[in-house]
Amino acid sequence: MPARDSTPPDSHWQGVRLHVVTGKGGTGKTTVAAAMALALAAGGRQTLLVEVEGRQGIAALFDVPPLGYAERHLAVAPGGGDVSGLSVEPKAALMEYLDLFYHLGRAGKLLERMGAVDFATTVAPGMRDVLITGKVYEAVRRRRNGGPAFDAVVLDAPPTGRITRFLNVNEEVVGLTKVGPIRNQSGSIMGLLRSPQTVVHLVTVLEEMPVQETVDGVDELRAVDLPIGGVVVNLVRDPVLGTRDLADAVKGRLDPEAVAGGLRTAGLGGHSTGVQARLATLTEGLLGEAADHGERVALERQERGTLAQLRRPTYELPALSDGIDLGALYELARRLREQGLA
Ligand SMILES: Nc1ncnc2c1ncn2[C@@H]1O[C@H](COP(=O)(O)OP(=O)(O)OP(=O)(O)O)[C@@H](O)[C@H]1O
Ligand SMILES: [Mg+2]
């Protein structure tokens, strides 16, 4: 049976039931959402990881067969607890809607055969997102054994450029329809999304464009009263040189003789002119790379400063050198917990 106290008291997000994860494309939304679902499940809780773009990214990540419309168990969290996964598909969501609100049953199937379902889910603008957010709402609200079926739902959401429109789509529906079940449903969804039970986290890397998208995303979400969560800085690499050496590297003040000495110590020495020439080329190359590295670290510091101005809880995740497998997800989940996300 799921625990009833969703998140532990030292988490920044106590009481939050829906964690929406957005960010610039390719910054690690799917990876971070998965690690978050594991972190939030630790210690015996139940979480649901939901994807909405039909890409089967979650199945690939957890190395399971493609997810369907019914959720599937993905992983056991540290200290017990379970992560389940779901891929929300607008067509199936529409069939469920028709059945739920109009008890269409077989008539719904007929509509599907007539192509009406395809029409509604692919042609009617915004309809797709209404259906998807409706399904997410249902998962958050679902009950089991007298309590919430899931302590937390983590949504691997559309990227920053589309997130506000996606989450706010039901607002438009409320404005368009005067009465009826669809209006009520849309009103309830907006109610959840604007409540303290929802937060939108933004994933970024320490580069100019993704950081700018994060800043813009926060502004846009704020403008429509959607609750901003934390900022997850992903793919962080530790500097390979100390602060002093980095500054010297950028200014071209590293001592070439010291670098060449290091290379000789590493066994790259020799006295022939050929070897000497190669050593000089290698030293020059290394000094150039050190300068680039120094510049990158300085830029990263600047981006961190920009993110700090958002005044949101910020979490850093390392770039794991062996790629992302289940073990890596546990490692990232552990880091998130250490930093108070769950
Ligand atoms: N912390 C990390 N360490 C190492 N590799 C990572 C890390 N985070 C993400 N990656 C890798 O970076 C790539 C992009 O990550 P991911 O698919 O999670 O990004 P995304 O934002 O969901 O992308 P998309 O916009 O295409 O959905 C993947 O190959 C993933 O394995
Ligand atoms: Mg993704």
Side-chain angles (χ1 to χ4, degrees):
M1 207 165 92
R4 294 289 160 254
D5 57 334
S6 295
T7 32
D10 52 353
S11 150
H12 295 151
W13 310 108
Q14 222 190 333
V16 171
R17 306 276 322 287
L18 174 59
H19 296 260
V20 178
V21 179
T22 184
K24 187 178 185 311
T27 52
K29 293 180 296 298
T30 304
T31 308
V32 170
M36 224 179 250
L38 264 177
L40 290 162
R45 294 184 296 271
Q46 303 292 315
T47 62
L48 179 68
L49 175 61
V50 181
E51 76 178 328
V52 296
E53 309 233 280
R55 307 231 316 254
Q56 294 295 341
I58 295 175
L61 201 51
F62 286 87
D63 200 16
V64 296
L67 296 176
Y69 202 61
E71 56 263 6
R72 173 196 312 237
H73 187 261
L74 293 177
V76 173
D82 299 283
V83 179
S84 303
L86 176 69
S87 175
V88 176
E89 209 261 306
K91 212 158 148 173
L94 179 57
M95 300 304 282
E96 198 174 274
Y97 246 79
L98 293 174
D99 209 34
L100 196 62
F101 292 124
Y102 300 105
H103 310 290
L104 280 188
R106 284 175 47 208
K109 292 265 178 304
L110 188 64
L111 282 177
E112 181 169 16
R113 275 214 295 278
M114 287 161 59
V117 171
D118 277 335
F119 174 78
T121 53
T122 58
V123 182
M127 184 65 174
R128 236 185 126 260
D129 293 349
V130 169
L131 293 165
I132 292 170
T133 50
K135 180 65 187 175
V136 172
Y137 173 80
E138 182 275 319
V140 174
R141 282 298 150 95
R142 197 181 309 166
R143 316 271 304 167
R144 195 181 290 153
N145 302 329
F150 300 106
D151 296 297
V153 173
V154 180
L155 177 62
D156 177 11
T160 340
R162 283 192 284 126
I163 190 66
T164 305
R165 188 97 210 275
F166 171 78
L167 292 175
N168 217 37
V169 68
N170 287 281
E171 190 67 37
E172 293 171 32
V173 177
V174 172
L176 285 173
T177 49
K178 298 279 174 285
V179 287
I182 299 280
R183 181 196 162 92
N184 292 345
Q185 163 87 351
S186 288
S188 306
I189 296 171
M190 282 325 296
L192 168 67
L193 294 178
R194 294 230 169 88
S195 78
Q197 293 195 352
T198 300
V199 287
V200 184
H201 303 290
L202 295 104
V203 181
T204 187
V205 294
L206 291 174
E207 289 165 20
E208 196 178 340
M209 293 262 291
V211 167
Q212 190 55 47
E213 266 200 34
T214 305
V215 172
D216 295 345
V218 166
D219 280 348
E220 280 178 32
L221 290 163
R222 273 202 184 124
V224 293
D225 274 338
L226 286 164
I228 321 283
V231 173
V232 182
V233 182
N234 191 26
L235 291 161
V236 174
R237 283 166 294 180
D238 282 337
V240 293
L241 295 174
T243 318
R244 179 88 166 271
D245 284 344
L246 283 172
D248 285 347
V250 173
K251 292 180 190 139
R253 285 199 204 137
L254 283 183
D255 178 9
E257 197 33 53
V259 174
L263 290 172
R264 273 188 223 103
T265 313
L268 291 168
H271 293 290
S272 74
T273 23
V275 169
Q276 288 299 329
R278 253 180 286 152
L279 200 59
T281 315
L282 202 53
T283 301
E284 198 179 317
L286 282 175
L287 289 173
E289 271 180 37
D292 290 348
H293 179 62
E295 266 161 32
R296 203 195 77 214
V297 172
L299 278 176
E300 285 179 353
R301 186 175 321 129
Q302 211 173 310
E303 301 307 336
R304 275 200 178 91
T306 307
L307 292 173
Q309 284 168 19
L310 294 172
R311 300 188 186 289
R312 301 306 307 159
T314 301
Y315 312 91
E316 294 211 355
L317 293 175
L320 297 177
S321 49
D322 292 334
I324 302 297
D325 56 7
L326 191 58
L329 288 179
Y330 279 106
E331 167 66 15
L332 295 177
R334 188 179 66 76
R335 304 266 186 155
L336 290 174
R337 284 175 69 73
E338 268 173 12
Q339 297 173 71
L341 183 125

